[in-house]
Structures are given as structure tokens and as C-alpha cells.
Amino acid sequence: MTAATAPPGSTPDTPRRSGRWIERWDPEDETFWRESGERVAHRNLLLSVFSEHIGFSVWTLWSVLVLFMGPEYGVDPAGKFLLISMATLVGAVVRVPYTFAVARFGGRNWTVVSATMLLVPSVAALIVMEPGTSYTTFLVVALLTGVGGGNFASSMTNINSFFPLRRKGWALGVNAGGGNIGVPVVQLAGLGVIAAAGAGHPRVLLGIYIPLIVVAAVCSARWMDNLAPVRNDAGAAREAVRDAHTWIMSFLYIGTFGSFIGYSFAFGLVLQTQFERTPLQAASLTFLGPLLGSLVRPLGGQLADRFGGARITLWNFAAMGAATLVVVAASLRESLPAFLAGFTALFVLSGIGNGSTYKMIPAIFHAKALADGRSGAAAATAARRLSGAAMGLIGAVGALGGLGINLAFRQSFETVGTGTAAYLTFLGFYGVCCAVTWAVYLRGRTVPDDGQDGDGPAAPQGGRESRPVAHAEV
């Protein structure tokens, strides 16, 4: 995706075609931003958060529905972990096409379409959610809920184009955090249904969300805008795929967002399986971690804006490793209070890391543009062009980390009866993430440009020479 700017003489609200199209968009122009851009950007951000919030709730719906599936459903813990894993998988895969749909159809238009599509898995679950339904049918419906995961990619790509570089950490943090909070909200809604109606009434939960999906689609159609300057750029996509940083940041995002979404899907089921909690007891504990992790995501972006995303990300991964050690010790000693404390810390830290890593993406490409000799608007345009193209891929790969976490839990419980082996695997991965962050972005003062980094490791492809970049820029 590229976010080129229309000729300066055009007006921001001139319609290009039917619908709400903005022809000129230059958020780096402080006068434009102050007079009209900021108001429009904030309106679109608010509506984007609402739609993405509902998308996350639908995506993680099966993390709640499995709590309703008692013995009468005939599905064992391994089968339940597979259900939530399939939703995670589809949500990760569809993020790539959803990213490019924004430029192809317009951010507003695609938000309307993607919100409306959430009706398909929700209505399907409403129909089939009862004992006696075949496991294959449950699996297909769980796969359908994955479309909710795609909303994140299109929403983040869209909002990335609305805000200037100096506000991206905050804006992307708010957008993602507001969307992420859909996870604890659907879990709280599930808790309310179980407490009020019992574990035998999952359709009540679905009946709550179907009207909200309609409201999200209608509000997006009424008040959001399309940015005409945003274009799909096959060249930018190819450059992003070839760029070492796209894959490095994808790896780091597995550690942050992959952890958040993977733990969000699995936590309630882990409590039921390892600590033998009832559906009501599990639901009453499940929501807190995702809630805190969602609320602190903007803080991660703000800290990255101030101190540099790489520095915050490094210390965050180190803290996640420490929290995982607490979880391992609690698992071995079968201490539920310590287990909850460690897992809650993991959720909070994954939220902070989500904000800091996503801030790094546009900052890295902007730093590279400056190092290549561009300045001002030219550097900002080049950064938006490549970071927009990279975000969809990074988001998709990061979400696959959630699939890895759920499969690791499934294997661990199936082979040894507890999640300890999975926790140890996660601990090792966070250690690798620490090493990569330090080696690539903090060890030297360079950002490799597809070639040899004089102060750091060699990038995967040969190419141009690296140039110095200050730590705070990334």
C-alpha cells in the first residue's frame, strides 16, 4: 500500500466518486493537520476502534463458547484447543488480503464490508451451538470466526495513513488497544451469560453480538471516510517482502501479539483443564488479563514515542521472560494465585509490547528513508508506503504466534497432562526475542538496508550499505 499525496491545490473533501472520499491527505503538513486533518482522523479512529472491537470479539468467540461445552458435547480438551486454534489460523491468514483491501476499496468501504461479514460466523454459531452437533460442524464454524481477525489488519493499515509520524505510536496503540479490548469484553459477556442463565445457554451470548455487528456496519457507512491517495502498490509490497525488517518485526510481533491472542484464546481452557475450574469459575478469571493487556497497549505506543520502540521492546521481552518463570514455578507447585499473577503480568507485558513493536514499524522505514538521503515530506511518504505494505504481513505472521501457542498447549496437555512444557517453550522464545531486538536495533547505531550492517548482523539480502540511525528513531 502507498499513501501518496494528491496535488496540494485539491481540497480535502472533494468527492472522487460516490461515497465519502477525501482527495488530498497530508497529515505531515501542520497547517492542514490543525485546520481539518486532526478532526477527521480522530473521527475515523473512533469508528475504526468500534468496528475492530466487534471483530476481535467475534474472532475470540470460541475461547468463550468452549466453556459452555460440557461433557454432553462429547469434545475433550484436545479437541477444544483445536477449535480455538483453527479460529486463530484463519484470523492470521486473512490479514494479508484485508491489508490490501483498504487501498483497493477504500478504508470506509472495507470497514463496512468486513463488519457485515461478521454476521456469517455469528449466525452460524447461533444455529449449531447445541449438544449433538458434529465436531466437524463445530470446526467449520470456528474457522469462519477467523474473519474477525482480519479486521485488525485493515483497520491498522487504514489508521496508519490518517496520522502523522509523530502521532502514529499513540494512534496505532489506541486503535489496536480498543480492538484488543473486544477479547475481555466478549469473555465478560460470556461470564454474565453463564452466571445469569447457566452454561447451557450459549445462544444468549450470540444474540447479544449480532445486533452490535449491524450497528458497527451502519456507523462505519455513515461517518467514516475513504482516503483517495491510498493506493495498492505492488512495488511497495515486493519491497516490503524483500526487506529484512519486515521479517524481523514479524518475528518480534509473534512474541508480543502472538502471546496476547494465544493466551486470550487458551487461558480459560487452561484453567479448566489444569486447575479443574468450573465454567463459571474459569470465566470469572479469564477476562482480567486480556482487559489489562488491551488497556495498556496505547501506553506501549506512548513509551515508544518517547524512549524508542526498540528499547521498550527489549526490556518488555525480558520482563515477559521473568513472568513466564513465575508461571512455570506456579504450574509445578500447582499454585493458582501465583499462576494468575504470572499470567496477568504476561498479558500486561504483551499489551505494552504490542504498542512498542507496532510503533517501530513506521519508525524503521522512516529512519531508512532519511538514511537514504530523503527528507521532510519525501521521507514521510516513503515511510508510509513501505510501512503500510509491511503491516499486513507483520500482523498476519504475528497472529500465527497465537496458533503456535494454542498448538503448544494442546500438545503439552495431551502428552504430559499439564501446560509446563509449553511454558518452558515460551520462555525460550522470549529469550530469543530479546537477543534479536538487541542485536538488530540496539547493539549498533544502524538500521540495515538489505545489506551488511557495519555495527550489527548482516541482513538476509545483499544490497545497499547501511547508514547510521539514532536509537530513539526506532
Side-chain angles (χ1 to χ4, degrees):
M1 183 202 77
T2 178
T5 305
S10 59
T11 59
D13 296 306
T14 302
R16 180 179 69 170
R17 61 197 89 171
S18 60
R20 298 175 61 96
W21 286 91
I22 296 176
E23 287 295 323
R24 174 181 174 267
W25 190 257
D26 186 9
E28 303 298 341
D29 182 332
E30 293 188 8
T31 301
F32 170 84
W33 179 252
R34 183 175 60 255
E35 292 179 353
S36 62
E38 184 173 17
R39 171 179 51 83
V40 173
H42 284 163
R43 183 181 70 238
N44 279 270
L45 174 61
L46 177 64
L47 294 165
S48 175
V49 166
F50 179 44
S51 180
E52 187 194 345
H53 173 96
I54 301 300
F56 260 96
S57 293
V58 171
W59 187 24
T60 55
L61 189 61
W62 280 91
S63 71
V64 180
L65 291 181
V66 293
L67 301 180
F68 288 88
M69 298 174 72
E72 67 274 15
Y73 282 82
V75 182
D76 63 12
K80 293 177 182 178
F81 274 115
L82 185 60
L83 286 175
I84 62 178
S85 296
M86 292 302 98
T88 311
L89 172 62
V90 174
V93 172
V94 300
R95 286 184 168 201
V96 176
Y98 269 55
T99 297
F100 295 99
V102 169
R104 175 65 180 85
F105 302 105
R108 163 201 176 263
N109 295 348
W110 185 250
T111 302
V112 174
V113 171
S114 61
T116 304
M117 286 172 62
L118 298 175
L119 289 171
V120 176
S122 302
V123 172
L126 183 71
I127 295 170
V128 308
M129 197 64 199
E130 61 184 13
T133 300
S134 71
Y135 183 75
T136 301
T137 301
F138 285 134
L139 198 61
V140 170
V141 176
L143 285 166
L144 290 174
T145 61
V147 297
N151 288 25
F152 173 85
S154 55
S155 179
M156 293 294 276
T157 300
N158 188 37
I159 294 304
N160 180 58
S161 298
F162 272 98
F163 283 82
L165 181 66
R166 66 184 182 277
R167 298 291 303 281
K168 285 186 189 293
W170 174 83
L172 293 174
V174 169
N175 188 62
N180 290 172
I181 209 170
V183 179
V185 168
V186 73
Q187 292 169 343
L188 274 170
L191 170 63
V193 171
I194 293 174
H201 296 84
R203 287 189 171 100
V204 176
L205 177 64
L206 296 161
I208 293 171
Y209 270 90
I210 289 172
L212 292 175
I213 294 169
V214 175
V215 171
V218 171
C219 289
S220 299
R222 177 64 182 84
W223 289 296
M224 287 190 75
D225 301 288
N226 301 304
L227 293 183
V230 176
R231 300 281 195 276
N232 275 330
D233 185 341
R238 286 192 295 270
E239 284 184 54
V241 168
R242 291 195 300 264
D243 195 292
H245 292 288
T246 299
W247 300 104
I248 294 169
M249 292 308 303
S250 295
F251 180 79
L252 297 181
Y253 202 54
I254 287 174
T256 57
F257 182 75
S259 295
F260 175 83
I261 201 64
Y263 295 148
S264 296
F265 270 94
F267 191 40
L269 195 50
V270 169
L271 290 173
Q272 275 193 309
T273 306
Q274 184 166 343
F275 290 93
E276 299 180 345
R277 301 292 96 180
T278 66
L280 181 59
Q281 289 171 333
S284 66
L285 297 170
T286 299
F287 74 92
L288 180 60
L291 175 63
L292 295 174
S294 301
L295 291 175
V296 301
R297 181 159 183 162
L299 174 63
Q302 289 178 316
L303 289 172
D305 283 339
R306 182 173 180 182
F307 300 108
R311 187 174 288 111
I312 298 301
T313 298
L314 175 69
W315 286 108
N316 197 73
F317 276 129
M320 290 179 76
T324 306
L325 284 174
V326 174
V327 171
V328 170
S331 179
L332 292 173
R333 302 180 67 167
E334 299 182 355
S335 170
L336 181 59
F339 186 84
L340 291 173
F343 243 108
T344 300
L346 279 173
F347 274 113
V348 171
L349 293 165
S350 67
I352 292 173
N354 285 339
S356 65
T357 52
Y358 239 78
K359 161 63 180 178
M360 289 173 68
I361 300 167
I364 287 167
F365 287 108
H366 187 258
K368 290 183 66 175
L370 293 174
D372 284 341
R374 298 183 180 92
S375 61
T381 299
R384 284 198 300 270
R385 176 175 177 266
L386 288 179
S387 63
M391 278 182 175
L393 183 58
I394 293 169
V397 176
L400 284 173
L403 172 64
I405 282 178
N406 291 322
L407 291 178
F409 275 130
R410 181 178 185 270
Q411 186 64 33
S412 183
F413 280 107
E414 199 169 38
T415 55
V416 298
T418 72
T420 304
Y423 310 139
L424 290 171
T425 302
F426 306 150
L427 175 62
F429 185 78
Y430 297 143
V432 174
C433 288
C434 272
V436 169
T437 304
W438 176 80
V440 178
Y441 298 114
L442 292 173
R443 180 161 67 105
R445 290 183 173 270
T446 65
V447 171
D449 192 7
D450 299 329
Q452 297 293 325
D453 181 346
D455 297 317
Q461 291 85 15
R464 294 165 293 177
E465 183 182 353
S466 299
R467 295 178 177 85
V469 177
H471 291 175
E473 295 178 19
V474 176

